[in-house]
Amino acid sequence: MGSCCYGAFSASSHLSVTDFSRGFKSPKLPCLSKRQERWFARPQGAPKISAYYGLRTPPYKLDALEPHMSRRTLETHWGGHHRNYVEGLNKQLEKNQLLYGCTLDELVKVTYNNGNPSPEFNNAAQVWNHDFFWESMQPGGGSMPILGVLQQIEKDFGSFTNFREKFVEAALTLFGSGWVWLVLKREERRLAVIKTSNAICPLVWDDIPIISLDMWEHAYYLDYKNDKGKYVNVFMNHLVSWNVAMARMARAEAFVNLGEPKIPIA
Amino acid sequence: MALRIVSRKAQGLGFRHVRGLQSFSLPDLPYDYGALEPVISAEIMQLHHQKHHQTYISNYNKALEQLHHALSKADSPTIVGLQSAIKFNGGGHINHSIFWKNLAPISEGGGEPPKASLGWAIDNQFGSLEALIQKVNAEGAALQGSGWVWLALDKEQQKLSVETTANQDPLVTKGSAWVPLFGIDVWEHAYYLQYKNVKADYLKNIWKVINWKYASEVYEKESPCLERQ
């Protein structure tokens, strides 16, 4: 089962020995083939290789989301929190060669370990979550989706207004730290709004996220203090990138059959 | 369920009775908002107390009222469905009410190390106060997401322990014998405006305003058979 294309061409993961043709089937630890394992059993003195992930920069300058999300927030959130997750992950991976050779998507699923996450999961998932979050926003975002995304939202929620209400409600009723997602559910073949705690993301259930909103307090506290409602509304009105959502939906349709295309008759 | 108690001794205890239904209210801080500076800023104290704690109380009262209605109609799905809101908001009220008492301005003894029975117990169990502080800070730093770190007393086994709880879960959810001696709020709202993402600095500094006197009082009350060594 292929993972979502997002991150497949990630410039942020540096891999020296990888076998992409094998495909990624089960959530065990198949990142190393037999050949690679033998290669690792090399004699002492051979150079040590470690996988590492880089801190991806957001696709806009740190002050580009003003006044809705301040430069100060971006500097602390991206430059502090996100960076710490990346560095923490790399430190953990230095000690764990079994996890070598994964893309970030694969790493998240593998470390989730079907609900019994390993220590690396928190860092891996939060790196992924934040990469996804920065790209879910754009300067001059907000307003409404168009074309296929809007059609699918209207099909699955009744109307855009209804979807927006559900999204905001999910954000405001989340207990503790977590994320809110518009996700395409693979098996049910429909969009849904879900909320997850701490670092969990829909990848672990093999669903395809379309947009996300960070509801950890560090995401909004400097700008909005405890006014969560204002933050969520500003996100929906001015930050969310429906362009990116469209691109993600288009890719997702390569993996999920959302229905017959409308073929004009004659 | 004790929702219909008719006692009138509600004055000053932070709750009142309306038609037999309890309703909780925000307890006052035993010090000014700025009294814990520079360890915790006045801005944080004011937001934390007037906004966060108050919101927990308002939502707790709302959930309890809904529970009251559901109980009177024997509406089990609603009764059970409300439990998470009660645990979260009620827990938030419990935890923060304890937290305000766990802190004291430096001028009023905040940060003064514990003496007597609690001091002895800490030395016995953890080796030294510094060792306990290290342990609490390590647990607080390692906590993922939002939660609390507690110095807990196991009443039955008469021993101290460092425990963590997630979100607003009160300490009793870990075991009915646990009594909190003090808790440290490691939700980001407790320190973000001042320390930003450097949680470790917040944890290092908060010891300057921990009210060990209160912790000792609780300890002595809950340990009737103290062995003084």
Side-chain angles (χ1 to χ4, degrees):
Chain A
M1 199 182 300
S3 53
C4 174
C5 289
Y6 176 86
F9 307 103
S10 163
S12 65
S13 62
H14 296 246
L15 313 164
S16 309
V17 178
T18 325
D19 194 354
F20 280 124
S21 62
R22 207 165 31 84
F24 177 72
K25 285 205 182 357
S26 82
K28 298 236 181 49
L29 295 175
C31 298
L32 296 186
S33 70
K34 279 278 173 287
R35 187 157 37 100
Q36 290 163 350
E37 281 186 33
R38 275 200 303 273
W39 192 67
F40 269 118
R42 288 156 97 200
Q44 296 275 6
K48 182 169 177 282
I49 293 103
S50 35
Y52 69 100
Y53 297 85
L55 178 63
R56 232 176 178 175
T57 51
Y60 35 75
K61 287 223 198 64
L62 295 188
D63 59 0
L65 300 180
E66 296 261 16
H68 312 296
M69 191 176 276
S70 65
R71 181 177 53 86
R72 202 167 59 126
T73 294
L74 262 296
E75 279 172 358
T76 317
H77 196 176
W78 173 77
H81 292 269
H82 192 176
R83 190 186 301 273
N84 284 343
Y85 287 127
V86 171
E87 289 174 1
L89 177 63
N90 289 337
K91 267 204 215 81
Q92 285 174 318
L93 291 180
E94 265 176 45
K95 306 183 193 128
N96 191 343
Q97 287 193 329
L98 281 179
L99 293 175
Y100 183 89
C102 300
T103 61
L104 194 53
D105 289 42
E106 290 173 346
L107 189 62
V108 170
K109 290 191 209 183
V110 160
T111 50
Y112 183 66
N113 198 19
N114 277 320
N116 194 10
S118 64
E120 295 86 357
F121 173 73
N122 190 59
N123 284 328
Q126 284 291 73
V127 173
W128 193 94
N129 289 338
H130 284 89
D131 284 345
F132 190 84
F133 178 53
W134 303 131
E135 295 182 5
S136 297
M137 297 190 287
Q138 65 170 80
S143 69
M144 282 191 44
I146 54 173
L147 302 176
V149 178
L150 181 58
Q151 274 173 23
Q152 192 66 36
I153 286 181
E154 287 176 343
K155 178 162 173 247
D156 293 329
F157 292 96
S159 67
F160 179 74
T161 317
N162 195 25
F163 150 72
R164 193 186 188 284
E165 262 175 39
K166 286 228 155 33
F167 195 86
V168 171
E169 192 203 340
L172 298 179
T173 55
L174 210 170
F175 290 155
S177 309
W179 300 77
V180 188
W181 309 83
L182 172 62
V183 77
L184 180 61
K185 287 188 154 295
R186 229 185 257 261
E187 284 206 17
E188 295 156 55
R189 293 191 283 181
R190 49 163 295 150
L191 291 173
V193 167
I194 63 170
K195 47 189 180 184
T196 58
S197 285
N198 294 353
I200 311 260
C201 69
L203 276 194
V204 307
W205 302 301
D206 215 25
D207 288 331
I208 303 176
I210 304 295
I211 54 169
S212 77
L213 174 57
D214 191 351
M215 288 307 293
W216 283 62
E217 283 176 328
H218 63 238
Y220 59 87
Y221 214 78
L222 292 178
D223 294 336
Y224 299 98
K225 304 220 172 58
N226 73 314
D227 198 345
K228 279 200 286 199
K230 195 153 173 232
Y231 165 63
V232 181
N233 278 304
V234 164
F235 173 80
M236 291 304 285
N237 293 341
H238 299 287
L239 289 173
V240 64
S241 173
W242 290 114
N243 290 333
V244 162
M246 198 149 57
R248 288 167 177 166
M249 275 289 284
R251 264 192 242 119
E253 290 188 49
F255 298 96
V256 181
N257 183 356
L258 287 174
E260 294 300 323
K262 287 196 182 54
I263 302 169
I265 301 165
Chain B
M1 281 286 315
L3 281 180
R4 292 197 179 273
I5 52 178
V6 190
S7 151
R8 296 254 180 278
K9 294 192 195 132
Q11 293 303 322
L13 287 177
F15 60 91
R16 59 184 172 84
H17 292 91
V18 175
R19 292 192 307 273
L21 175 66
Q22 292 180 118
S23 167
F24 295 89
S25 59
L26 188 64
D28 287 329
L29 283 192
Y31 36 77
D32 286 334
Y33 288 129
L36 301 181
E37 297 257 15
V39 175
I40 304 181
S41 68
E43 192 188 11
I44 289 184
M45 289 306 291
Q46 184 167 8
L47 276 168
H48 205 172
H49 182 243
Q50 282 182 357
K51 295 275 156 93
H52 290 272
H53 191 175
Q54 179 62 68
T55 304
Y56 288 126
I57 290 174
S58 310
N59 289 338
Y60 183 36
N61 286 334
K62 230 189 306 180
L64 286 177
E65 213 183 303
Q66 290 170 330
L67 179 68
H68 184 63
H69 286 306
L71 281 168
S72 62
K73 290 188 284 185
D75 178 0
S76 285
T78 308
I79 293 173
V80 177
L82 283 168
Q83 296 310 309
S84 63
I86 291 176
K87 180 162 106 156
F88 182 68
N89 293 298
H93 173 49
I94 294 172
N95 294 339
H96 286 88
S97 302
I98 298 173
F99 189 48
W100 309 135
K101 294 191 252 194
N102 288 151
L103 304 173
I106 299 176
S107 56
E108 290 174 32
E112 260 178 44
K115 306 179 184 64
S117 51
L118 181 56
W120 276 115
I122 289 175
D123 285 343
N124 271 335
Q125 268 201 250
F126 297 99
S128 65
L129 181 61
E130 285 68 39
L132 169 65
I133 291 178
Q134 296 281 18
K135 186 144 205 271
V136 172
N137 287 353
E139 297 272 344
L143 201 153
Q144 289 166 10
S146 310
W148 291 74
V149 201
W150 304 94
L151 176 62
L153 167 67
D154 183 335
K155 267 197 298 197
E156 279 162 23
Q157 300 197 14
Q158 285 294 305
K159 69 176 176 80
L160 298 172
S161 171
V162 173
E163 299 287 332
T164 57
T165 54
N167 296 341
Q168 291 296 352
D169 295 355
L171 188 59
V172 293
T173 55
K174 280 210 129 170
S176 49
W178 289 115
V179 171
L181 297 183
F182 69 75
I184 298 182
D185 190 350
V186 285
W187 279 65
E188 284 168 331
H189 64 237
Y191 60 87
Y192 209 75
L193 291 178
Q194 193 177 347
Y195 295 93
K196 305 235 179 41
N197 66 318
V198 195
K199 191 162 59 162
D201 280 355
Y202 163 68
L203 288 171
K204 204 173 61 171
N205 284 328
I206 199 170
W207 296 99
K208 301 183 189 149
V209 290
I210 289 282
N211 186 358
W212 285 106
K213 260 189 277 192
Y214 174 74
S216 292
E217 282 167 25
V218 177
Y219 179 71
E220 270 159 34
K221 196 173 85 167
E222 303 286 350
S223 313
C225 342
L226 283 176
E227 281 183 46
R228 286 195 167 67
Q229 300 188 20

